[in-house]
Structures are given as C-alpha cells and as structure tokens.
Amino acid sequence: MSDAAPSDTPKRPSRLKIAMQVAGFVVGCALVVWCAQSAFADGGAGLEKLRNAEGSLVAILLLATLGSIVCSGLTFWAIVRPIRPIGLVETQSVNLMASLFNYAPVRLGLFLRCVFHWRVDRMSGTEIGAWIAGVAIVTLGTLASAIAAGLVQIPAGRGELALDWMWFATYGACVVAGGALTILVGRSPVLRRLLKGGERALNDPRALAGGLVFRTIDVAMWTLRMWAAAKIVGVSLNPAQAALLAGVAILGAGNPLGRIGWREAFVAIVAPYIVTGAATPEELDTLTSQLALLESAGEAILTIPLGVLGSIWCVLAIRRAAKSRDHDAGASASLPSTSRP
C-alpha cells in the first residue's frame, strides 16, 4: 500500500462549516424542546405509554435498530471492496464511531471516518471520496425510490398508501434505473482520470448491487422501527405509511446542519399529513411528536453505547497502525547501505 500524498489527505471542516453546524445544533436543540412540549402537552400521558408498552413492540424497536446499524456498516463494506478489501469488523467499528460522533455539535463522523482510513488503511483522499460518494449515491437512490414508491400512489387516486405490487414495482424500477445510470457515469473516461481507480466504487456492478441490497434492508429496518414506535404511542400506520415516514426521518438525520432535533422535527411536521385517523388536529400533533421522539430515541439507545465500543476499537487500531509504521521505519533505517562510494 502506498502512502497518500500530503496534498491528498482528509481536510478539516472549514470554520464556516463548523459555525453553521454549531448554529444548526443550537436550532436542533430548540426543535427537540418544541417536540417535547408538543409530545407531553397532556402531562405524563406520553411517559405512561412507554411504561405500559408491550414487550414485543419494544423488542421490535430495538432489534430493528440493531439490524439498521449492521446493514449500514455492510453498505460501506460492500461499496469499498473494489477499491480496498477492508475487513468487516473494521468497517462496522468505524461506522459505529462515525454514527456516535454525528450526535456532536459539529458532525465529526465523516471527518473521523476519513482520518481513520487514511491513517490505518493508507487510502488516499481520492479513494475515500469516491467511496463516500458511492455510499451516498446508494443511500439517496434507495431513499428516493422508497419515497417515490409511496408518492406515486397519490395521483393514482388511492385513499391510503399500500405496500403492494405498485409500491414494489415502482421501487424496483427506480433502483434498477438509478443503478444502471450510476454504472454508466462511473465508467466515463473523465471520472477515470479524476478518481484514479476510485471510480471502481461507482462502476462495479457487484459492489453496487450489494450496497443497494444492504441499504434496502436498512430502509426496511427504519420502517419497522417507525411502525413499532407508532404502535407504542397509539398512532395507526400501515407499512407503506411507515416506509414514507422512515424516508423523511433518514433525510432529517442526514441533513448537514446536525443530527439533533432536525430529524424529530421533520417527522413531527410531516407525519400529520400521512397518518390517517379520527384524532383531532391537536391530538394528532401530540401523537406524532411522541412518535418522532420515540423513534429517534429507539435508535440512540443502541447507537450511543455501541458507538463508544466502536470508538475504542478504532483508537486501538490507530495505535497499532502507528506502532507498525514506526517499526517499519526503524527496520528500514537499520538496514546496511548497499551503495558504494
């Protein structure tokens, strides 16, 4: 493996980006307070629902979160394989670390992910950038396909969204078309010159198909968690409605201004337009705010402790890599010179 050139190393976030994310974190905290005020407008009724929640629903909530975490790491693992065969345990650990630090006032997850693979795997900035772009394309493609599969039913005149042949046909058509377009663009001579081998993360059919499969299962896990959270708080959601709300939650979680608050606000604002039922507007606002907070908390309750474990693994791996480089450098320096005067 060749060391990356100094000019090709991961760049620190700019001061402007840091300032925007700090401002976004502050606004996000205000949005959490707003959601909480709406969720607990009736006093302790929301907390009572949590205490009386069925054990099976809580188990589904947590297992769906675990499944989503694993599939997210597998998506990164599948996309990077054409560039560099990185181990599955390493990929999962780095992904957990990145997920944990995305909760910080400044989203450090992406930066720390890049630094780790640059220092430990000696990947160049170009390779890392192509890898991240491949994962982003797969994520946005599956997300856009899921949202399109739900929205296409509205002009069809359906009174309620359904997870039926129309949903799966639309989703499948969008995913296949998006994947074919990505491979076509990834094989262009311009990208080959710019990415210097990193384009393999975009044009390898097996890697792209694996990423799409894992990300599709990931979206399904988000959908299942949304459905379970809705059942706990007393909101009626069918699978198609849950999938559409899961897409909204993923968009909120991935926004560049921060993880805290924005996702919950997106769900709380959009949910009343998706949820069907006889509740009054005030009751619906309370229920959907409870749904937004519980769904988000269901992810955080596992992501944070697992992220701590992943971060410890990454720190130890960086130390091992540094010792190995020092040892190799010392061995090279001790070798006798073969040059003649």
Side-chain angles (χ1 to χ4, degrees), residues 1-262:
M1 301 180 192
S2 59
D3 290 350
S7 60
D8 204 19
T9 60
K11 302 297 188 296
R12 293 178 180 272
S14 65
R15 291 183 179 180
L16 176 60
K17 187 173 183 178
I18 291 175
M20 289 179 61
Q21 290 188 351
V22 170
F25 180 81
V26 173
V27 175
C29 290
L31 290 173
V32 169
V33 173
W34 168 72
C35 281
Q37 287 178 337
S38 178
F40 301 111
D42 295 332
L47 294 175
E48 192 66 25
K49 293 177 182 178
L50 298 182
R51 284 193 289 266
N52 297 331
E54 294 181 21
S56 59
L57 290 176
V58 175
I60 291 173
L61 189 79
L62 297 178
L63 288 175
T65 296
L66 183 60
S68 174
I69 290 171
V70 171
C71 287
S72 178
L74 286 171
T75 303
F76 279 91
W77 175 77
I79 298 297
V80 78
R81 289 186 67 76
I83 302 176
R84 192 72 57 83
I86 294 176
L88 185 55
V89 173
E90 175 182 326
T91 310
Q92 293 285 5
S93 299
V94 175
N95 195 58
L96 286 170
M97 175 188 67
S99 299
L100 171 65
F101 281 93
N102 278 337
Y103 282 93
V106 177
R107 295 188 71 145
L108 296 174
L110 177 59
F111 174 70
L112 293 177
R113 185 193 298 274
C114 294
V115 169
F116 178 92
H117 291 296
W118 174 69
R119 295 192 63 179
V120 175
D121 300 307
R122 310 311 295 166
M123 293 180 69
S124 68
T126 302
E127 290 174 331
I128 296 172
W131 177 20
I132 299 301
V135 174
I137 289 171
V138 164
T139 300
L140 291 175
T142 53
L143 180 57
S145 299
I147 293 176
L151 295 179
V152 76
Q153 299 182 46
I154 296 176
R158 294 193 171 186
E160 189 172 272
L161 305 182
L163 204 64
D164 58 3
W165 69 267
M166 182 182 291
W167 193 99
F168 285 105
T170 304
Y171 181 82
C174 290
V175 166
V176 170
L181 180 61
T182 300
I183 292 174
L184 182 64
V185 172
R187 290 179 176 175
S188 67
V190 176
L191 278 184
R192 289 178 183 173
R193 287 194 298 269
L194 289 176
L195 300 182
K196 303 172 184 177
E199 77 280 354
R200 294 193 298 271
L202 305 175
N203 62 29
D204 186 285
R206 290 182 60 185
L208 200 62
L212 287 169
V213 168
F214 289 131
R215 193 57 93 188
T216 296
I217 300 174
D218 186 13
V219 173
M221 293 297 100
W222 279 71
T223 300
L224 186 58
R225 184 174 63 228
M226 187 69 70
W227 175 84
K231 290 285 288 184
I232 290 173
V233 302
V235 174
S236 177
L237 280 184
N238 67 31
Q241 292 170 324
L244 192 54
L245 265 185
V248 172
I250 295 172
L251 281 175
N255 86 87
L257 292 178
R259 163 65 183 79
I260 300 294
W262 296 90

